[in-house]
Amino acid sequence: MKREHRSRCLSLPLPLLGLLVIAWNDAAGQSGGNSPSARDRHTAVWTGKEMIVWGGYNSNGPTYFNSGARYNPTANTWTSLPANSAPSARVYHAAVWTGTQMIVWGGYNAGNSLVTGSHYNPTTDSWTATGPGAPVSRYYHSAVWTGTEMIVWGGRSVAFYNDGGRYSPYAWSSLPTAGAPSARDLHTAVWTGTEMIVWGGYSSTLGFLNDGARYAWLVNWGRTMTSNGAPAPRDLQTAVWTGTEMIVWGGYNGTYRFADGGRYDPSADAWTSVSTSGAPGPRDHHTAVWTGTEMIVWGGFNGAGNYWNDGARYNPQTDSWTPVSTADAPSPRAGHTAVWTGTEMIVWGGFSGASYATDGGRYNPATDSWVALPTSPAPPLSISRAGSDSAVLSWPSPAVGHALEENSDLGTTNWTRVAATPSDDGVTKSLTVPFSPGEHFYRLK
């Protein structure tokens, strides 16, 4: 249910006409601070009740971030993460949720790969550094949480790697390289409950890859993973685990983007193709989440200058796609994040080719509908008489991310956007509205 926070309610009685005009600002229930500053290639995890966003990049500065925030969809509020003891600023890092903490590790900053990391505990709202013995510094690596450990593998720095480490807070142990996949970056990895499956990626010596391997504690890299029937070589694909299969989709091969994928069944060591009928267009830097019954693909970049704000839901039981509504969807973007809450997909941040995003949306597949995330509280909306037949609505400038809406009956949800463009003198935005019969209401949303 959408919550509205009606604040600074102002009324202007107009006794000559027997009318009443009321204006307020709609802060969408937000009282816990603003969303993080605009960025892409950050990380996001779902805690069970909040999405935690951290790190990322914005070429307009401060370039690399070591900041973030927690978004609570029930309260529809953002809460900033503390800066004290936070990891150094970075991008291309990995983050996992342990059940009680978010662990951030590795990444890149201004030509330097990183070997550091930290735990963030939302209960204590504090950071604690990871323990010693980590793998060598790297970025473009993968990380999965097994239930007791974080497994980091692959990536690059001065070289491409086919090694990694197991991190059981707060101690590291190395992964074996015998039987491991060839060195690579920009691959995908999923945890099945018993093993980690690594697939795809890019190597400086082998190029784009369509092979992989399976790692489990007792057998290490000893289990087979066929490439027969696998999707074409690529990196920047997405991968989800369904409970029985890994589904990979999309990606890039150095020449073009893909609009196809495959399903890998480890119990049969076999690949099955994913239908392309009704699938989203070709893309990389998109996101994918698993809902329990469907994979939702959204956003991304097609390499021809097009950024997407569309997507589709893939049902492996029927091998079919269902489009995701674009009505009220976030603006086109790539390099964003997406998490699944149990009922909704939450998208945040990203890059459109022209600007970095500080907004996002919540998508409910049951209703095929979007609800915008709050960005910053709506500015106070004021009203004053302009004459015998009009009034002036005004609010501070600059103010972005808000729309002036009107309604003649507060008993309905039939709000419509005011089409007229307000004047802006750099200090105040204002718009003159005529009196009309009956009551009339305005809000900034």
Side-chain angles (χ1 to χ4, degrees):
M1 176 180 293
K2 181 179 182 296
R3 298 174 66 248
E4 290 185 354
H5 176 62
R6 303 178 183 180
S7 63
R8 193 180 172 98
C9 185
L10 304 172
S11 63
L12 176 68
L14 305 173
L16 293 178
L17 298 177
L19 306 179
L20 180 68
V21 180
I22 298 178
W24 70 79
N25 68 301
D26 176 11
Q30 180 176 334
S31 59
N34 300 344
S35 62
S37 54
R39 65 191 71 186
D40 73 351
R41 291 168 285 178
H42 50 285
T43 50
V45 299
W46 176 249
T47 71
K49 63 179 182 180
E50 292 180 319
M51 173 182 69
I52 307 179
V53 167
W54 191 84
Y57 177 82
N58 184 322
S59 63
N60 300 318
T63 308
Y64 299 93
F65 292 96
N66 72 334
S67 61
R70 296 150 46 187
Y71 172 69
N72 185 319
T74 301
N76 198 29
T77 58
W78 287 97
T79 303
S80 297
L81 269 59
N84 185 40
S85 300
S88 59
R90 65 193 67 193
V91 70
Y92 307 141
H93 52 287
V96 299
W97 176 250
T98 71
T100 58
Q101 301 180 93
M102 174 181 70
I103 305 177
V104 169
W105 189 82
Y108 175 89
N109 182 322
N112 299 311
S113 60
L114 303 172
V115 71
T116 57
S118 289
H119 302 241
Y120 172 70
N121 186 326
T123 301
T124 60
D125 192 29
S126 62
W127 290 95
T128 306
T130 52
V136 298
S137 63
R138 65 192 65 199
Y139 56 96
Y140 289 154
H141 51 289
S142 59
V144 299
W145 178 253
T146 70
T148 57
E149 294 180 319
M150 174 179 69
I151 305 179
V152 167
W153 189 84
R156 67 177 296 182
S157 179
V158 295
F160 288 75
Y161 299 115
N162 75 332
D163 63 359
R166 293 162 44 189
Y167 180 70
S168 181
Y170 288 78
W172 287 93
S173 58
S174 61
L175 286 184
T177 56
S182 58
R184 65 193 67 196
D185 69 359
L186 296 173
H187 53 284
T188 47
V190 300
W191 178 252
T192 71
T194 58
E195 62 183 4
M196 174 181 70
I197 305 178
V198 167
W199 188 83
Y202 176 79
S203 161
S204 59
T205 57
L206 300 174
F208 294 88
L209 303 165
N210 72 336
D211 64 352
R214 300 153 59 184
Y215 173 80
W217 289 306
L218 296 180
V219 297
N220 293 323
W221 296 101
R223 292 175 176 166
T224 61
M225 184 177 184
T226 184
S227 293
N228 294 332
R234 65 192 69 190
D235 67 8
L236 293 171
Q237 70 279 355
T238 51
V240 300
W241 176 248
T242 71
T244 57
E245 294 180 319
M246 174 182 71
I247 307 178
V248 299
W249 193 86
Y252 176 64
N253 73 350
T255 303
Y256 54 84
R257 274 75 181 172
F258 291 95
D260 62 9
R263 296 155 48 185
Y264 176 71
D265 180 352
S267 64
D269 188 28
W271 285 93
T272 303
S273 62
V274 169
S275 172
T276 57
S277 177
R283 64 194 68 196
D284 65 9
H285 287 97
H286 54 288
T287 52
V289 300
W290 177 250
T291 71
T293 57
E294 295 178 317
M295 173 181 71
I296 307 179
V297 168
W298 192 84
F301 176 65
N302 79 341
N306 294 322
Y307 291 79
W308 303 116
N309 72 335
D310 65 356
R313 296 148 45 191
Y314 175 71
N315 186 326
Q317 295 296 317
T318 59
D319 190 29
S320 62
W321 292 90
T322 301
V324 167
S325 173
T326 57
D328 298 319
S331 58
R333 64 194 64 196
H336 54 285
T337 50
V339 299
W340 177 250
T341 71
T343 57
E344 295 179 318
M345 174 181 70
I346 306 180
V347 167
W348 189 84
F351 180 66
S352 69
S355 62
Y356 294 85
T358 187
D359 63 354
R362 295 158 50 184
Y363 174 73
N364 186 329
T367 58
D368 189 30
S369 61
W370 289 91
V371 174
L373 267 62
T375 52
S376 59
L381 180 61
S382 301
I383 188 168
S384 61
R385 182 190 289 273
S388 61
D389 59 356
S390 62
V392 175
L393 302 172
S394 60
W395 59 99
S397 176
V400 296
H402 311 290
L404 183 65
E405 295 183 339
E406 59 185 338
N407 195 343
S408 59
D409 182 0
L410 285 183
T412 75
T413 58
N414 187 31
W415 289 91
T416 58
R417 183 166 297 189
V418 176
T421 301
S423 62
D424 188 348
D425 62 8
V427 177
T428 303
K429 291 186 176 183
S430 60
L431 183 68
T432 300
V433 294
F435 295 155
S436 57
E439 294 181 335
H440 213 66
F441 305 92
Y442 293 89
R443 70 179 182 184
L444 281 176
K445 175 177 169 59

